[in-house]
Amino acid sequence: MLSPKHARGATFLFVACCVPILLLSVFFLYPRRTPPIAISDPENKEYDAVQAKKTSTSTSTSSKPTSSPKPTAASLSTEHATQITSPAPTSTFEITYPLPEDDNTEGFLSAALGNPETRPVEADWSFDTARDGGDYGLSDSQCDAAFPQLYTELHRAVAYTHTGGNITVDDVDISWKEGGVVRAMIYNRELYIIEAKYNEGSLDIIRAFALLGSIHRAITAFDGPIPNIEFTFSVEDIANLEDPGKWPLWALARPHDKEEQWVMPDFGFWAWDTTLVGSYEQVRQGIAQQEPSILEKKPQAIWRGANLAQFNPIRQDLLDHTRDKEWADVHEVVWEKEHNEQSNQFIKIVDHCDYLFLIQTEGISYSGRLKYLLNCHSVSVIHKREWVENYHHLLVAEGPHQNYVQVERDFSDLSEKIETLLDDPLQVELIANNSVATFRDRYLTPAAQACYWRRLFWAWRSVSFEPQLFKKVEIPDPASGTTKTKAEWRGEPYQTYVMAAVRDLAIPPQPKKRCGWISKALRLC
Ligand SMILES: *[C@@H]1O[C@H](CO)[C@@H](O)[C@H](O)[C@H]1NC(C)=O
Ligand SMILES: *[C@@H]1O[C@H](CO)[C@@H](O)[C@H](O)[C@H]1NC(C)=O
C-alpha cells in the first residue's frame, strides 16, 4: 500500500507528466478526429468538457444557436471514430465430445448447476434500509415486498413486446450497429459475452464493464433461479443512433417514444470512474458521512455541467435564467478550469448535497446525474423530460407525495418556483423528506437496482427464447477423410473476458513484425 502522501505524490506525478503526454499524443496522432459524441453523458466529466470545448469553438460566433439540431445517425457516424471489435470472444474453447442427439445443449451443465429454491420471505420481514439497502441478493418475494413500484418500465416493455410478437435471435443481432454495443448471454447462472463492439477512443468499454459487472453481481449475490437469456445492450447515451428502426435494445435510457427499448439500470449504479463521483456505494457512504442538516444547507440552487448548446438549448436557457440571481450557484464547466481543483466550477457529486436545490438537466440525451442528486436530502429541480430512466416513473411533481420540483424545459418558471420555496421552508423539507423516502432509502438503494436487474432477466425471458450455449462446427478429419461435428462455445465467460482486457493492458498486443527475406535468412523472425 502507498501511504496517502505517496499516493498523492504518485497521482500528482501521473497528472503532471502522463496526462499532458497522453493528450499531446492523442492530439498529434489524431489531428482531425473529433471525439465520439454519442458516448457523453453530460455532467461534470472531463471528456464532456473537452467535447463542450470543441463544440463551443465551432459555434463561437453565436452564444446560443437558433435551433438545436438533434444528432442524427449520419451526423454522428462521421464523429464516431472507426469501430473496433472487442478482444473477445477471441478464444473458442473446443470441446471434444459431440453434441447430444437432440441438439439440446442444456444437458451439458444443468446437472451440475441445479437452481436452488428461492428464499422464502418471512411473514414479519420488511425492508430496512440500513440493514438491507446494500444487499444485492434479496429474494424475489423480498424484492416484491420492498419495491412494489419498481418494475413499471419492465411491465411496459413486456406489454409492448406482446403487441408485436416475441423477441427472436435476429432481434439481438448487432451487425447493424457500429459500436457501443454488447451481445451477451446468461446460461446456468454464468454470464457470457457473445460479441462486443466499442467505438475507438470512446469510453464504451468502461461502461460495458460496469454493466457486465452489475449483471454479474445481480446473479452471483442471489441464491434463487436465474433464467437463461440472450440479449443485447447499448452503452451509448442514444442507444440506436445508427439505425432508428425498432431494435429491442437494453438501453441506459430511452426517449418516450422508443417503446421497443428496454431500460436497464445506469452504469453509474456500478461506478463512475472519476474522482468527482466514484462507485455508487461510495457516493452514498460519502453523503451519509458529510451531508449537512437541511437547515444548514446553502439556500441556493446548484448546477454544474457542459453547455452542449449545439445539441440542446436547455443548458444555455438555464444559464440565462439564473444569471446574477442570488439564489443560483450555476456555472458552465469549462475544461481549462475544471482540472484545476481550486476552481469553484469543480464540485464533487457528494458536495452537491450542501445545497438546498439541485438542478438536473438533460443534455445530448438523458443525464446520469439525477440518481446521485436524489441521494441528497435536498430538493431536486428537474425540467419536463424527454428521456426515461428505469426509476423516473417514481418522480412525483405535485400533491402530498411531491418528491421534486418540475419546471418548464426552458427554465422560464425556475426563478418564480425557487423564490416561492425559499419563503416556505416547511414545503422544502416535505419535498426533501419525500425524496429521501422514495429514492435514497428505497428505490435507489443498491438492493433495489439488483432486484430490477433480475426482474429484467425474467421479463425478457418471458417474451424471448432459450439461448444455445454451444454452436456446432464441422471439423475436417484428415485421418478418416470425413468431417466431425464439434461443439464450440458461443460466448466468452465474463471471467476470462475481464482477464483478457486486463492482460491487454499489462502486455499490450504487439503489432506483427514484417518478415522480409533478409530477416528470414538471418533467422530474426
Ligand atoms: C421531515 O422528516 C423529519 C425526520 O423524520 C421530521 O422530523 C420532519 O418533521 C419532517 N418534515 C416535514 C415537513 O414533514
Ligand atoms: C413467447 O416466448 C415465451 C417464452 O419463451 C413462450 O412461452 C411463448 O409461447 C412465446 N409466444 C409465442 C407466440 O411464440
Side-chain angles (χ1 to χ4, degrees), residues 25 75 114 133 171 195 197 247 301 309 321 335 356 359 370 440 445:
S25 25
S75 74
D171 290 326
E195 191 185 352
K197 292 178 180 177
W247 293 98
H321 280 108
W335 166 243
L356 214 42
I359 299 173
L370 179 58
R440 184 191 75 190
T445 55

Side-chain angles (χ1 to χ4, degrees), residues 166 461-465:
N166 275 357
R461 184 63 188 83
S462 75
V463 291
S464 67
F465 53 93

Side-chain angles (χ1 to χ4, degrees), residues 214-240:
S214 304
I215 293 171
H216 191 249
R217 179 167 66 188
I219 299 169
T220 53
F222 181 66
D223 66 2
I226 300 281
N228 295 342
I229 48 171
E230 184 169 336
F231 53 94
T232 293
F233 65 84
S234 169
V235 303
E236 294 184 292
D237 288 357
I238 302 173
N240 64 332

Side-chain angles (χ1 to χ4, degrees), residues 181 280 285:
V181 69
Y280 188 62
Q285 295 291 342

Side-chain angles (χ1 to χ4, degrees), residues 56-75:
S56 70
T57 50
S58 63
T59 56
S60 57
T61 45
S62 62
S63 66
K64 188 176 170 183
T66 46
S67 68
S68 58
K70 284 256 182 295
T72 62
S75 74

